[in-house]
Amino acid sequence: MATKIYVPCDTTALSMGADEVARLIEYHAGQKGVEIEIVRNGSRGLFWLEPLVEIETATGRIGYGPVEPDEVPGLVAAGLFDARSDHPLYLGSVADIPYLKRQQRLTFARIGITDPLSIADYRALGGFEGLGKALAMTPQAIVDEVKTSGLRGRGGAAFPTGIKWQTVYDEPGQQQKYIVCNADEGDSGTFADRLAMECDPYMLIEGMAIAGLAVGATQGFIYLRSEYPVAHSILEEAISRAESEGFLGANIRGSGQAFHLEVRLAAGAYICGEETSLLESLEGKRGLVRAKPPLPAIKGLFGQPTVVNNVLSFAAVPFILDQGGQAYADYGMGKSRGTLAIQLAGNIRQGGLIELAFGVSLKEILEDFGGGTFTGRPMKAVQVGGPLMAYMPHSQWDTPMDYEAFAKLGAGIGHGGVVVFDDTVDMGAQARFAMEFCTVESCGKCTPCRIGSVRGVEVIDRIRAGENPDANLVLLEELCETMVDGSLCAMGGMTPFPVQSVMKHFPEDLTA
Amino acid sequence: MHMAEQINQPPVASRGAATGDWTPDMIREEVVALKHKPGALLPILHAVQNRVGYIPEGAVAIIAEALQQTRAEVHGVISFYHHFRTHPVGSKVIHVCRAEACQAMGGRDLEAHIKSRLGVDYHGTTADNEFTLEPVYCLGNCACAPSIRVNDNIHGRMTPQKFDRLADKLTTATLEIR
Ligand SMILES: Cc1cc2nc3c(=O)[nH]c(=O)nc-3n(C[C@H](O)[C@H](O)[C@H](O)COP(=O)(O)O)c2cc1C
Ligand code: SF4
Ligand code: FES
């Protein structure tokens, strides 16, 4: 029988040469007359090991990584096809790698194991069980299950998903309702949405279909950022296969219930991750933020009741329906229930995706998982939760990952991205960048954000040039307060957070 | 399932393949195929840009008429989004990530190197029409930073040296790179 060899196909593995590695492995197998079958699986999210090549053996999957194309001939010579251990890239049993083994993977349980587009693989590991159960439940019972889970939106605002669904469900029936997936993932340091879509697309499809059943919506849209071409092609293919096997479409699994799904490509505007701006964009307009109320749950896409959720919020739903809301709620701490997808990035030795119950400390993530910086230098600052969130100094790294604990520090978890900087970072430049980013990405609707950010860049430049630093620091603080208080949405309202964190924790870098 | 071919195929005609030549009929074709969709404007603009390489001035009137919008409205949408452009581009569009995770890994130096190697600033196209340079804020490849995107291919752990090698390969290859 042909030996199964896995070579991942997610963006990160591809960015490190996975296609070339797969081609070379095939070529060398041909040369040696070894019969192999190459499976393009998803990535396990252990990105410092990508491309991570795995060989199926009688005792489980054996890994080698990171395998750069140049390494393939040496690996083959050292017994790759027999899963031999005498090569420096040999990792042993992949499932036993501590980084992976220590995680609590509920949402990402299948990631990297399966061929993302194989419905058979998906079902073999519990896929579509949740949908099957939902089809036999009343809509209210589905909503209740999600409420029991305690799931809070993973897109950043952490609003309870069950309550959002209830609001849409409670709107009168007999009208078009929509399910919209926010797949705009614009925050630097985040890639969990991408990984979920590229490596387990049916999980998102299943979660959205369940949402449709729950609130009585027959049409869904995935608003996908244009920066994700690989996710785009995988989603398109997955949707078409799910339709042909009856998991989507006019009559889901013969139930008489309908749910249609379409991917819509965004066009490179960070603000379109904000849900009302996203809806404007989906309607074919400029992505200007709408004032709330009305909530999208009541007047959303094309003025109709709409559920807008992040990819990971939908992705958590199949588990919740399959195993029960309580099984999900059993993980976590305080009011942060279930698991968090932590994305470790930037200047870090072992960057990747870590799924753990809420409550793990930032320090454990940085040290135990991350293994220190990539450059080997001391860490200086960590930005958690994307470009609108605070830079956290050493003294705050004991904080447990919990929405309330972070909020108390004036920080946030956002979408779970953790970006690490070593001691060569110039925090003044980072503060300036926060304002600059806002000038580029502001939707332009309100003055504090549109103009304030331009002034912010100028004031920081003056401070850094040594022009009246004291007076300009006061001015900067006032400007930040105006933006926080006077902006319509979090773009202008939170841009000051990274700036203020630099003023507070790294003042010497700003005035140096 | 063997996915290599599939992944290599961009979901839509590669930007590199667009010639920049266009006719009103080409635009009409794209518009007719998509205008029935609710909120059709973005899909139409994507389709036009994929086909032509940019959104020609002359396309705006055709699109506006088909969607019963004003030309100003269509212009307003095009100019709002960073992705859409109104001028032809080189055969390879290089997006350089400017966001925080890439900054933490030397992204600022990489940006400066790429600009000087190509001799263009952001939104510029090299004189030989080979490369157009664009900034981007995160490619979702932040654990293997810094990252760039060349047409639809993303490259991680980019360095000035690696970039030079890549640029050489891209300029000498006559085939479409993948
Ligand atoms: C400036 C800004 C950018 C945002 N970007 C995203 C994003 O990229 N992805 C996302 O899911 N939510 C984003 N959000 C949050 C959304 O507005 C919204 O809260 C979320 O999509 C709701 O889904 P959830 O409840 O499942 O988290 C952003 C919000 C703001 C203010
Ligand atoms: S704060 Fe900025 S992005 Fe938000 S609505 Fe106002 S101008 Fe638009
Ligand atoms: S910050 Fe550059 S790829 Fe995410």
Side-chain angles (χ1 to χ4, degrees):
Chain A
M1 219 183 68
T3 309
K4 265 195 189 166
I5 301 192
Y6 296 84
V7 184
C9 66
D10 93 300
T11 292
T12 296
L14 294 175
S15 85
M16 300 305 286
D19 274 348
E20 185 66 10
V21 167
R23 260 194 293 268
L24 286 167
I25 290 174
E26 212 150 31
Y27 168 81
H28 284 282
Q31 291 277 301
K32 290 182 79 111
V34 180
E35 225 189 301
I36 61 163
E37 180 197 346
I38 293 200
V39 179
R40 301 306 298 269
N41 58 325
S43 170
R44 307 247 189 186
L46 278 55
F47 285 142
W48 80 100
L49 294 176
E50 290 295 358
L52 169 60
V53 174
E54 297 177 41
I55 316 291
E56 191 158 83
T57 72
T59 55
R61 280 155 69 163
I62 300 296
Y64 300 82
V67 179
E68 285 183 31
D70 297 353
E71 308 260 19
V72 174
L75 268 171
V76 169
L80 173 73
F81 298 129
D82 305 314
R84 285 221 313 263
S85 60
D86 35 4
H87 192 280
L89 298 183
Y90 176 82
L91 299 165
S93 159
V94 176
D96 292 326
I97 297 174
Y99 195 97
L100 196 56
K101 205 170 176 176
R102 283 193 51 190
Q103 297 189 33
Q104 292 158 301
R105 289 195 168 189
L106 309 183
T107 301
F108 287 83
R110 275 176 300 265
I111 294 261
I113 297 175
T114 55
D115 167 349
L117 286 173
S118 161
I119 290 185
D121 276 14
Y122 184 65
R123 298 187 74 181
L125 293 183
F128 290 127
E129 295 286 332
L131 179 62
K133 291 186 181 157
L135 283 168
M137 291 161 73
T138 64
Q140 184 61 56
I142 303 174
V143 174
D144 288 342
E145 208 58 54
V146 174
K147 281 187 191 161
T148 304
S149 75
L151 176 67
R152 290 163 74 180
R154 298 290 188 246
F159 187 81
T161 304
I163 294 179
K164 190 183 283 185
W165 290 19
Q166 184 73 58
T167 310
V168 178
Y169 172 71
D170 287 343
E171 286 298 295
Q174 316 310 79
Q175 62 176 328
Q176 182 68 55
K177 297 178 181 179
Y178 293 104
I179 306 293
V180 170
C181 173
N182 188 340
D184 204 47
E185 195 165 55
D187 292 352
S188 166
T190 61
F191 42 76
D193 293 355
R194 174 183 67 70
L195 209 59
M197 292 185 285
E198 289 178 352
C199 305
D200 205 6
Y202 297 117
M203 174 171 58
L204 174 59
I205 291 171
E206 183 179 356
M208 291 183 73
I210 293 169
L213 296 175
V215 305
T218 52
Q219 176 69 50
F221 292 97
I222 300 173
Y223 184 83
L224 176 71
R225 66 198 304 251
S226 58
E227 291 85 347
Y228 285 177
V230 176
H232 188 197
S233 63
I234 289 180
L235 283 174
E236 294 278 14
E237 178 65 22
I239 288 172
S240 110
R241 292 191 193 187
E243 273 168 0
S244 54
E245 302 227 359
F247 293 104
L248 282 177
N251 181 10
I252 302 173
R253 298 309 266 178
S255 66
Q257 312 224 54
F259 189 70
H260 304 275
L261 188 53
E262 188 183 329
V263 181
R264 282 287 175 92
L265 212 52
Y270 178 80
I271 193 57
C272 289
E274 194 283 333
E275 59 186 2
T276 62
S277 160
L278 183 157
L279 294 173
E280 291 285 300
S281 183
L282 262 181
E283 290 179 9
K285 304 180 200 149
R286 296 152 61 95
L288 296 181
V289 174
R290 296 178 186 168
K292 286 192 276 194
L295 293 172
I298 292 162
K299 268 188 183 309
L301 187 61
F302 304 114
Q304 300 300 115
T306 303
V307 169
V308 182
N309 272 133
N310 173 253
V311 174
L312 297 184
S313 310
F314 286 123
V317 167
F319 175 93
I320 290 167
L321 267 288
D322 182 22
Q323 309 279 317
Q326 192 55 47
Y328 192 78
D330 286 344
Y331 293 84
M333 74 176 271
K335 285 189 269 176
S336 303
R337 307 314 311 172
T339 55
L340 174 66
I342 298 154
Q343 299 127 88
L344 194 47
N347 196 330
I348 191 79
R349 203 148 65 90
Q350 300 185 151
L353 177 104
I354 302 157
E355 181 177 353
L356 280 172
F358 282 92
V360 61
S361 82
L362 191 50
K363 201 179 210 155
E364 278 174 89
I365 297 295
L366 296 171
E367 289 172 6
D368 302 356
F369 286 89
T373 60
F374 184 83
T375 44
R377 302 183 62 92
M379 279 181 203
K380 177 161 170 178
V382 178
Q383 189 178 34
V384 181
L388 308 180
M389 297 280 190
Y391 284 95
M392 301 171 75
H394 264 279
S395 57
Q396 297 183 335
W397 296 351
D398 283 327
T399 315
M401 300 290 262
D402 161 80
Y403 293 120
E404 278 67 32
F406 266 63
K408 245 188 240 156
L409 295 175
I413 288 181
H415 190 45
V418 175
V419 177
V420 180
F421 293 80
D422 74 8
D423 62 349
T424 61
V425 66
D426 171 356
M427 295 307 295
Q430 298 312 120
R432 183 188 195 278
F433 178 78
M435 285 290 185
E436 187 189 355
F437 183 66
C438 187
T439 67
V440 178
E441 298 295 342
S442 166
C443 89
K445 190 158 181 161
C446 46
T447 320
C449 168
R450 187 184 67 243
I451 310 286
S453 55
V454 177
R455 295 289 168 264
V457 173
E458 293 165 1
V459 177
I460 293 174
D461 280 345
R462 285 203 295 273
I463 294 169
R464 283 163 65 77
E467 277 176 47
N468 300 327
D470 293 339
N472 275 314
L473 276 169
V474 174
L475 188 62
L476 182 60
E477 187 58 60
E478 282 169 7
L479 182 66
C480 284
E481 279 163 25
T482 308
M483 288 177 73
V484 170
D485 296 338
S487 298
L488 180 59
C489 86
M491 181 81 218
M494 289 169 65
T495 288
F497 293 176
V499 180
Q500 288 168 323
S501 70
V502 171
M503 285 195 272
K504 184 163 172 199
H505 302 297
F506 308 95
E508 63 287 353
D509 275 20
L510 199 55
T511 44
Chain B
M1 218 269 319
H2 199 112
M3 293 229 351
E5 306 95 305
Q6 224 238 310
I7 301 297
N8 274 334
Q9 285 298 309
V12 280
S14 156
R15 230 159 281 120
T19 62
D21 298 335
W22 67 280
T23 62
D25 277 343
M26 264 163 68
I27 308 292
R28 266 180 223 117
E29 249 174 59
E30 302 295 343
V31 172
V32 167
L34 293 167
K35 73 172 203 185
H36 66 280
K37 283 180 183 274
L41 184 51
L42 253 62
I44 288 173
L45 294 175
H46 273 293
V48 170
Q49 181 156 306
N50 282 326
R51 178 113 175 230
V52 182
Y54 65 103
I55 297 165
E57 175 65 37
V60 172
I62 300 171
I63 297 169
E65 196 192 328
L67 297 183
Q68 296 186 317
Q69 294 187 350
T70 66
R71 277 192 262 174
E73 278 170 320
V74 176
H75 259 302
V77 171
I78 295 170
S79 62
F80 182 84
Y81 295 96
H82 301 303
H83 180 81
F84 296 128
R85 48 189 176 235
T86 49
H87 296 285
V89 282
S91 54
K92 291 117 205 161
V93 178
I94 299 185
H95 282 94
V96 182
C97 178
R98 293 199 63 211
E100 286 87 347
C102 288
Q103 292 166 8
M105 286 293 285
R108 289 199 175 94
D109 290 342
L110 179 68
E111 276 182 79
H113 174 83
I114 293 176
K115 285 184 190 172
S116 86
R117 153 85 203 219
L118 298 182
V120 293
D121 205 339
Y122 285 126
H123 313 298
T125 298
T126 54
D128 58 6
N129 266 325
E130 284 279 4
F131 300 107
T132 295
L133 192 62
E134 297 285 347
V136 64
Y137 295 89
C138 195
L139 292 163
N141 201 36
C142 331
C144 287
S147 303
I148 69 168
R149 173 174 171 183
V150 182
N151 291 346
D152 275 345
N153 296 296
I154 289 154
H155 301 260
R157 294 260 185 261
M158 195 40 66
T159 62
Q161 297 73 26
K162 260 172 86 174
F163 179 79
D164 287 347
R165 263 177 277 144
L166 183 66
D168 285 342
K169 206 167 98 194
L170 294 177
T171 22
T172 46
T174 45
L175 293 169
E176 247 231 279
I177 52 108
R178 26 184 57 197

